[in-house]
Amino acid sequence: MRSKYNRLVMTVLLLTTFTYSAKAQMSDSVQTYLDTCLTVLKNNALYAHRVNWEEKEAEIRARTKTKAEAFEALKVVFTSLGDMHAAFYHEDKSFRLENTALLERYSDSLKVAWKRGPQIAPRMIDGFAYFVVPYMGAKGQKQIDWYANWLYEEVVKLHKQHPKGWIIDLRLNSGGNIRPMLAGLAPFFREGVISYYIGKNGEASDEASIKNGDFLIDGQVQATIKDKIAQFPAAKVAVLIGPGTASSGEITAAVFSKRTNTLLIGEPTAGLANATNGFVFNDNKTYFLVSTARIADASKIAFPETIQPEIRIHGQEAFQAVTQDEIVKTAINWLRQ
């Protein structure tokens, strides 16, 4: 019995010695780097509550002597966060959780359509206006303005044909920058607040609104539209969604779901309807992208992270021949009612 006790004490002493040795070998720069990484995640990550920080910090510090080792060790925290929207970049390395369940939902038709690149593909179908709002990877104000006007101008062209109703296809919209999307779609909305961000502590921020036909965040116009037209918020609109609808595409769908005379049709979205933020440090060598807020409606009630259709249709899309697309046909039938 005494022998077993002695072995146990020796094991504890060895583990303690190893931990202190690891700390002793960690340079001040690495210590500061780890402190920064962990502080950023604890203070900002929407899903920080999922992590046992005391346990994970001890594990990470025990495994880390260099910044290269820190990259591998910090994967533990990102895994515990379970944030499918998050990404971690360090020099030439990157890490994000594989969203296997979502990947399995992608159809061959969706994958082929994505390969064609972002397209709006506007057309009239039986007197109804149809167009796609694609992924918009806009960076900087110049690109935001360009994308917003690209979308807005196509909406205007369709509007001049006096459609009996509208079909807005978000099924290919895997995200990007929300600003040009909602700026380009501003004519569909009434004046007023349309959404907020709700942080992990419940605080509301980033009030999004429509004013004078412009899309604003906290009172600031987000894109300069060249030739604005009168808004048409009473128009009947069918919004198409599916597993390819992610991130900003989901936010767009969520905002439309609160609009009158609107119906969401298709499949549940990707489940990434939240706001992300990027954090750069370590002399621009390390970058965290993490979810930092939920999306909420004008009443500050958070939307679910997966946006659900009101009419659910599975696996009937035909992006290469939309007039034969069963989801588009369903939208037209509803618009005719």
Side-chain angles (χ1 to χ4, degrees), residues 49-297:
H49 63 279
R50 296 175 176 174
V51 181
N52 182 329
W53 288 102
E54 183 177 354
E55 176 186 297
K56 296 307 177 186
E57 282 190 48
E59 180 180 349
I60 288 167
R61 294 184 191 281
R63 292 173 53 181
T64 303
K65 301 183 190 69
T66 67
K67 290 181 182 179
E69 290 178 337
F71 176 81
E72 295 300 322
L74 285 165
K75 288 181 182 180
V76 172
V77 174
F78 274 85
T79 300
S80 296
L81 287 172
D83 185 353
M84 294 299 179
H85 221 158
F88 171 25
Y89 302 90
H90 175 70
E91 296 182 344
D92 60 342
K93 300 177 181 178
S94 65
F95 174 75
R96 66 168 65 232
L97 293 177
E98 186 176 7
N99 198 338
T100 306
L102 178 60
L103 294 175
E104 290 176 350
R105 294 178 61 202
Y106 293 162
S107 67
D108 290 339
S109 179
L110 179 67
K111 295 174 187 176
V112 170
W114 269 336
K115 288 181 179 179
R116 297 194 316 234
Q119 297 181 16
I120 294 177
R123 68 188 68 191
M124 295 294 293
I125 305 174
D126 295 338
F128 299 98
Y130 167 93
F131 67 95
V132 174
V133 181
Y135 169 86
M136 292 187 176
K139 296 178 181 179
Q141 193 60 50
K142 186 176 180 180
Q143 288 189 8
I144 290 172
D145 288 344
W146 186 90
Y147 274 99
N149 281 279
W150 177 41
L151 178 57
Y152 196 100
E153 288 167 6
E154 295 301 337
V155 170
V156 170
K157 290 176 186 176
L158 289 169
H159 185 253
K160 288 179 178 178
Q161 298 182 60
H162 307 290
K164 295 178 289 184
W166 295 78
I167 302 171
I168 301 178
D169 198 339
L170 299 176
R171 292 176 296 169
L172 296 171
N173 191 324
S174 58
N177 196 320
I178 190 68
R179 290 166 175 80
M181 294 180 200
L182 291 180
L185 297 169
F188 289 95
F189 294 96
R190 299 184 188 281
E191 302 276 296
V193 176
I194 56 174
S195 72
Y196 289 93
Y197 288 170
I198 304 294
K200 70 186 186 75
N201 297 319
E203 69 282 7
S205 66
D206 295 79
E207 180 187 85
S209 62
I210 304 296
K211 184 177 181 180
N212 298 325
D214 288 313
F215 172 61
L216 288 70
I217 296 180
D218 289 337
Q220 299 297 312
V221 174
Q222 296 300 301
T224 302
I225 301 299
K226 297 174 184 176
D227 299 304
K228 288 192 292 184
I229 61 171
Q231 293 156 257
F232 40 93
K236 196 170 184 180
V237 179
V239 178
L240 312 187
I241 60 173
T245 312
S247 189
S248 296
E250 289 174 283
I251 296 171
T252 302
V255 170
F256 266 92
S257 74
K258 293 298 180 177
R259 180 186 178 276
T260 58
N261 227 10
T262 304
L263 189 74
L264 270 57
I265 304 172
E267 295 185 68
T269 61
L272 304 173
N274 51 41
T276 60
N277 205 347
F279 301 89
V280 181
F281 44 95
N282 186 33
D283 295 325
N284 295 322
K285 295 177 183 176
T286 302
Y287 175 71
F288 287 168
L289 178 72
V290 294
S291 297
T292 55
R294 298 285 298 277
I295 308 303
D297 63 18

